[in-house]
Amino acid sequence: MTIISLPGGSSEYLGGGSGYDGGARKITYFSNSYVLGLTLVAGFGGLLFGYDTGVISGAILYIRDEFEAVDQSSFLQETIVSMALVGAIIGAAAGGWINDAYGRKRATLLADVIFIIGSLGMAAAPDPYVLIFGRFLVGLGIGTASVTAPMYIAEASPSEIRGGLVSTNVLMITGGQFLSYLVNLAFTEVPGTWRWMLGVSAVPAIIQFVLMLFLPESPRWLYMKKSKAEAIVVLSKIYDPFRLEEELDQLASTLEEERLRKNAVSYWDVILVKEVRLAFLAGAGLQAFQQFTGINTVMYYSPTIVQMAGFKSNQLALLLSLIVALMNAIGTVLVAFIMGSSGSTGWLAVSGLALYIAFFAPGMGPVPWTVNSEIYSQSYRGICGGLSATVNWVSNLIVAQTFLSIADAVGSGPTFLILAAIAVIAFFFVLVYIPETKGLSFEEVENIWKERARSSSSNKEPLLEQER
């Protein structure tokens, strides 16, 4: 091991043999309050995502009451819901580049500012079209945050607990959805109901912005892009000395590989370089299946679906939808820390929604985000993470923009049967294509894709290291 002194009394690690002896203190979820604090603050990005998803499902009932044009047009209702997704697509696509160029911390702060402006704009909207523009701005913030939060958490987490900590971001999403239903119920009797529902969403963004000012940048980004000394200061708060040496060894090795690659990282590499393409197809496929199995159909429209089942009261529809959101939140907790008419048919429909969420929440809810935070090499983590999140939002948009129209055309029963068939396809995709990444370092996960690329590669399709 080689260490040199730096001005100010700090030191810089230059690489060397691993000194990790396996006898260091075992890392658990609660053994390091510093890592837990970073995770919770970064997870507010998930809270923004979840709150916006849930709040619009209740707010749309009252927006329909205030604006006759909205009440008479399923397309306008779908547009109000899905315009945030249009913004999220753009935010996610740009978010990868912003994260790589300016860091995870600045990307988070930017997302918060945009979200706050959009939330206040929605609350003050005089007509549906200003409301739609506010939804677009909120979407930009959510899209950027959806790329940034899992990436920041993953890069600041020890590999032993990385999956669980990244899943707390999804817990924040589901918690935000549950919170939004509580807020919706709280404002049902208040004048300007939907304006309060949408305006309150600025509060978590303000809280995260303030707290994020006091947090460090991602240590991996600092090491690769800015200052090794700053990275070591952050890493020393995460790992004990023996484990710190091992982590710095891996970072030094990764940085050296980056220096040996003469060509700049390109979006085209996602298609042309086989090991990158294989990883991206796994990540993007999970993100697409997450949406096409219908989760945000349920979360955006659950009060509307409940009304389809025969419960006509806005307030009762919101109350029953709270059960759906609660099941989602409970199911995600298990992953993160343990790993008709208003008669019987109507209640059966509500029970079906709750059962769907109970099984979705521990699996396809957190896993796509966790996997996408782990499977890409450092060089491509921003690009592939951004593109994969974009796939998620595009899929989300397709589902949100078409659900009511398809249900009107073929009925709610056949519509949900389509979603069930997609879930079966998703099962076999995960079974065949997704590797297990639990407890592996980023470098070990990267080697999985290199091995897969080698095993199926022809002479005409060189690997990344051969191309460089």
Side-chain angles (χ1 to χ4, degrees):
M1 179 178 71
T2 305
I3 300 178
I4 62 171
S5 298
L6 295 173
S10 61
S11 300
E12 180 176 347
Y13 177 81
L14 296 182
S18 175
Y20 182 57
D21 62 359
R25 181 168 56 94
K26 182 179 179 181
I27 297 176
T28 65
Y29 292 117
F30 301 102
S31 62
N32 191 318
S33 59
Y34 183 75
V35 174
L36 196 59
L38 295 179
T39 300
L40 293 176
V41 175
F44 267 79
L47 188 69
L48 301 180
F49 179 0
Y51 185 90
D52 180 77
T53 301
V55 77
I56 196 61
S57 67
I60 195 68
L61 303 179
Y62 296 92
I63 293 170
R64 283 162 44 187
D65 291 341
E66 181 165 338
F67 298 120
E68 184 177 354
V70 176
D71 188 49
Q72 295 178 352
S73 171
S74 292
F75 176 77
L76 198 52
Q77 292 175 45
E78 290 170 334
T79 301
I80 291 173
V81 170
S82 61
M83 188 51 64
L85 306 180
V86 175
I89 291 169
I90 299 172
W97 174 80
I98 294 171
N99 272 274
D100 279 347
Y102 298 103
R104 298 19 170 166
K105 179 175 180 176
R106 290 182 181 178
T108 301
L109 295 173
L110 176 63
D112 287 333
V113 170
I114 296 173
F115 191 94
I116 292 166
I117 295 172
S119 298
L120 298 179
M122 289 189 299
D127 57 57
Y129 306 101
V130 175
L131 175 60
I132 288 171
F133 180 68
R135 293 281 296 160
F136 174 77
L137 291 179
V138 163
L140 286 176
I142 292 175
T144 304
S146 71
V147 179
T148 308
M151 197 181 303
Y152 183 89
I153 295 171
E155 293 183 348
S157 302
S159 59
E160 297 92 329
I161 58 174
R162 185 175 61 230
L165 290 179
V166 173
S167 291
T168 63
N169 182 58
V170 184
L171 174 60
M172 297 290 271
I173 294 175
T174 57
Q177 290 168 339
F178 182 68
L179 175 64
S180 72
Y181 284 111
L182 291 176
V183 171
N184 283 349
L185 279 173
F187 286 115
T188 52
E189 303 298 329
V190 176
T193 304
W194 63 269
R195 298 181 185 278
W196 284 102
M197 292 175 177
L198 299 179
V200 165
S201 63
V203 174
I206 294 172
I207 293 174
Q208 185 185 43
F209 181 89
V210 173
L211 293 177
M212 201 71 195
L213 293 174
F214 299 96
L215 293 185
E217 181 53 78
S218 154
R220 290 185 72 92
W221 186 89
L222 284 172
Y223 194 94
M224 298 295 178
K225 298 292 183 72
K226 186 180 178 182
S227 167
K228 296 184 185 67
E230 289 182 39
I232 293 171
V233 169
V234 178
L235 288 168
S236 65
K237 298 178 182 178
I238 299 174
Y239 300 108
D240 59 44
F242 291 108
R243 182 62 182 276
L244 176 61
E245 182 180 337
E246 182 183 62
E247 292 297 317
L248 290 173
D249 246 344
Q250 293 178 347
L251 284 173
S253 176
T254 302
L255 182 59
E256 184 60 27
E257 287 183 12
E258 297 300 316
R259 287 172 177 167
L260 293 175
R261 294 171 182 169
K262 298 178 181 179
N263 297 330
V265 171
S266 167
Y267 278 91
W268 287 110
D269 290 343
V270 179
I271 299 173
L272 299 176
V273 179
K274 190 163 190 178
E275 65 193 65
V276 180
R277 182 171 73 248
L278 290 174
F280 175 71
L281 289 176
L286 278 176
Q287 296 287 31
F289 278 121
Q290 184 194 69
Q291 295 305 317
F292 284 123
T293 51
I295 178 57
N296 280 321
T297 291
V298 175
M299 300 315 300
Y300 289 134
Y301 295 115
S302 57
T304 303
I305 294 170
V306 169
Q307 289 188 335
M308 287 178 180
F311 301 94
K312 299 303 181 183
S313 164
N314 285 357
Q315 192 167 12
L316 181 58
L318 289 173
L319 183 60
L320 293 175
S321 297
L322 193 62
I323 299 173
V324 176
L326 179 60
M327 294 296 288
N328 198 13
I330 291 173
T332 311
V333 170
L334 295 177
V335 166
F337 295 106
I338 305 178
M339 286 286 286
S341 65
S342 60
S344 59
T345 303
W347 287 107
L348 182 62
V350 174
S351 300
L353 286 177
L355 188 63
Y356 165 88
I357 288 295
F359 281 91
F360 179 92
M364 286 299 285
V367 169
W369 296 106
T370 303
V371 169
N372 272 275
S373 72
E374 296 180 328
I375 60 175
Y376 308 121
S377 65
Q378 180 70 34
S379 301
Y380 294 93
R381 191 164 298 138
I383 289 177
C384 289
L387 289 176
S388 185
T390 302
V391 169
N392 183 289
W393 290 111
V394 170
S395 305
N396 195 335
L397 173 63
I398 293 170
V399 172
Q401 187 66 40
T402 60
F403 172 72
L404 292 180
S405 298
I406 293 175
D408 288 342
V410 303
S412 57
T415 301
F416 283 105
L417 284 176
I418 294 171
L419 298 178
I422 295 172
V424 173
I425 298 172
F427 174 86
F428 288 102
F429 174 80
V430 173
L431 185 66
V432 172
Y433 198 74
I434 305 301
E436 180 57 69
T437 60
K438 180 181 179 181
L440 301 181
S441 68
F442 287 117
E443 289 71 23
E444 289 171 328
V445 175
E446 184 178 356
N447 285 334
I448 291 176
W449 301 112
K450 289 181 179 180
E451 288 300 321
R452 287 193 178 188
R454 287 191 186 98
S455 65
S456 60
S457 178
S458 69
N459 293 330
K460 295 181 179 179
E461 193 170 20
L463 302 184
L464 178 60
E465 59 266 35
Q466 294 170 332
E467 287 186 335
R468 300 307 188 192

